[in-house]
Amino acid sequence: GKVVALFFGYTHCPDVCPTTLAEIAEVKAMLGKDGERVQAIFVTVDPERDTPQLLKAYMANFGPGFIALHGSAEQTAAAAREFKVFYMKVPGKTEGSYTVDHTAGSYIIDAKGQVRLFTRYGTGAKALADDLKLLLAEPA
C-alpha cells in the first residue's frame, strides 16, 4: 500500500548514491504525513563490500524506515536484469580498490506494485515530490 522509491547503488559511492538517498529523505519530509506512505528501498550492487551490517548503518543516515537489500552476486545480477540496471566494477588506483559504475536513477512503484516512473539523477526534490503527490492521491 505504499509508493516505493527503488534505487540501486552501493555504500562506497562518493556522490550519486548518498545524494539520491538524501533527496528521497527530503521528499518524504516535504510530503509531511504523506511521506510515511513512501518507502525508500536501496539495493546494493556491491554485495562483496556492502554487508548487511554496513547497509543497516548506512541507511540510518537517511532516516527511519529506509530499507536496504543485500543478495548474493547472482541474486544481485538477476534483480539488476529485471530492472534493466547497469553496474560494473571499475578498478581503482590502488591494489584491490574499486568503484562501481551504475545506473543513476530511481524507479517509482505505485501502491499497487506497478513501476510508474524512472527518475533520473539530479531531477530534484520538488519534481519528485510533485510526482509522488500524484501517485499518493490514487486509490491503493
Side-chain angles (χ1 to χ4, degrees), residues 44 54 82:
T44 182
L54 178 60
E82 282 294 315

Side-chain angles (χ1 to χ4, degrees), residues 17-134:
C17 298
T19 302
T20 298
L21 293 169
E23 186 173 276
I24 294 169
E26 181 182 354
V27 167
K28 286 174 61 79
M30 290 170 70
L31 293 171
K33 186 93 172 131
D34 280 341
E36 296 172 14
R37 295 176 44 219
V38 175
Q39 178 64 62
I41 300 177
F42 178 81
V43 180
T44 182
V45 294
D46 188 10
E48 184 179 324
R49 285 189 297 197
D50 289 346
T51 65
Q53 298 79 12
L54 178 60
L55 287 164
K56 182 177 181 180
Y58 183 74
M59 297 309 284
N61 292 306
F62 304 103
F66 276 60
I67 295 173
L69 300 179
H70 176 277
S72 66
E74 295 78 20
Q75 291 168 323
T76 300
R81 259 191 318 277
E82 282 294 315
F83 284 91
K84 296 175 179 44
V85 167
F86 166 84
Y87 69 100
M88 179 180 70
K89 276 188 182 182
V90 177
K93 294 180 181 179
T94 60
E95 179 81 24
S97 71
Y98 63 91
T99 59
V100 181
D101 284 350
H102 61 91
T103 300
S106 300
Y107 288 91
I108 307 302
I109 301 167
D110 68 18
K112 294 177 184 171
Q114 299 298 310
V115 174
R116 296 285 296 273
L117 181 65
F118 180 81
T119 62
R120 301 208 282 165
Y121 173 69
T123 303
K126 169 122 177 49
L128 180 55
D130 290 345
D131 287 337
L132 291 180
K133 282 179 192 173
L134 294 172

